[in-house]
Amino acid sequence: MPPLHPAIDLVDELGSGSSGRVWRGVLLAPFGGHPAGAPIALKRMHARLSEDAHAHAAFEREIVLGRKLRHPNLVSVLGDGVDEEGRWILMPFVSGQDLRTLLRDEGALPEESVRSLVRQLGSALAALHAEGWRHADLKPENVRWTESGRAVLMDLGLARQLGQPPDRSQPGSHAYLAPEQARGEVGDAR
C-alpha cells in the first residue's frame, strides 16, 4: 500500500463492509492532535464503487459528520483524501468489539452495562439529532464497546437529515429499520 498523508503504518485488516475495507494502523508522525504512535483506523472505499455516486455521497456524509460532531460516543474523522487506490477516511481507532461479536462471545451483558450502553447511545443519537441528522443504520455491528465501558456509534455514511426521504439505493440494514422506513416513508428522530 502506498504511503498516505498523514504517514501511517497499517498493521492489519479489521473488516470489510458494503462501502469499504477498514484497517488498523499507527500514526508515524503527529497528526490532527494525535501523537506519533496513536492507533488509527483507515477506511478505504471498495475499488468497485469508484464510479458509484451513492457510495461517494455516503463517504462524504461520513466525513462531514465525523469532523463536525465531536462527541465521546460518536466516531470522529481525522482526515480524508484520495490516492492511487481511491478514496479513504482516517479515524481514531476505537478498541474493543462490536456489540454483535461481544454478545455472541460473552452472552448477555450485566444490567449495569446495558444501562450504560443505552445512555451512551442515546447521548450519541441526541447529538446527531441536535444537528438535524439521524443515523439510519443503527445495529449491533455499528456499535463498539471498549474495554473501559465506552460505547461508540460507528458508520455515519448512511446518516440522513431529519425529514429527508429514505435513499432507496442504500436503505440501511433491513432487520433494523423502523417500520415506517421499511415502508419507504420518512423517518424522524424517534
Side-chain angles (χ1 to χ4, degrees):
M1 188 163 288
L4 297 171
H5 181 74
I8 61 174
D9 179 27
L10 296 180
V11 178
D12 58 359
E13 184 176 335
L14 296 172
S16 181
S18 61
S19 65
R21 297 180 104 85
V22 180
W23 282 268
R24 180 174 59 93
V26 176
L27 286 174
L28 297 175
F31 183 79
H34 295 269
I40 55 88
L42 176 76
K43 182 175 184 176
R44 280 198 174 275
M45 182 183 290
H46 290 304
R48 63 180 160 69
L49 299 175
S50 64
E51 302 298 320
D52 186 319
H54 293 291
H56 282 277
F59 248 60
E60 190 60 32
R61 270 191 304 278
E62 190 163 7
I63 292 163
V64 168
L65 290 173
R67 285 182 177 218
K68 182 178 183 178
L69 300 173
R70 296 297 179 182
H71 189 279
N73 303 112
L74 284 171
V75 66
S76 62
V77 170
L78 300 175
D80 68 285
V82 179
D83 61 19
E84 54 275 359
E85 290 190 44
R87 186 85 190 202
W88 54 268
I89 302 172
L90 186 68
M91 301 166 275
F93 175 71
V94 178
S95 64
Q97 296 179 298
D98 69 75
L99 194 53
R100 166 85 58 216
T101 302
L102 180 70
L103 294 172
R104 182 195 68 217
D105 293 350
E106 297 187 19
L109 297 174
E111 180 180 348
E112 182 179 312
S113 295
V114 173
R115 288 179 183 273
S116 176
L117 175 80
V118 170
R119 272 192 307 274
Q120 291 179 63
L121 290 179
S123 181
L125 292 171
L128 272 170
H129 298 164
E131 292 293 327
W133 292 86
R134 59 188 167 85
H135 189 275
D137 198 24
L138 184 59
K139 61 183 180 180
E141 293 83 357
N142 284 339
V143 176
R144 292 200 61 91
W145 184 251
T146 70
E147 296 84 6
S148 65
R150 183 170 66 109
V152 180
L153 185 54
M154 311 292 284
D155 200 355
L156 301 174
L158 292 183
R160 294 282 176 264
Q161 288 185 304
L162 293 173
Q164 181 183 17
D167 183 344
R168 302 310 262 162
S169 69
Q170 293 181 315
S173 301
H174 293 287
Y176 297 97
L177 288 176
E180 65 274 11
Q181 290 175 295
R183 291 189 300 268
E185 299 168 12
V186 177
D188 61 22
R190 291 173 289 159

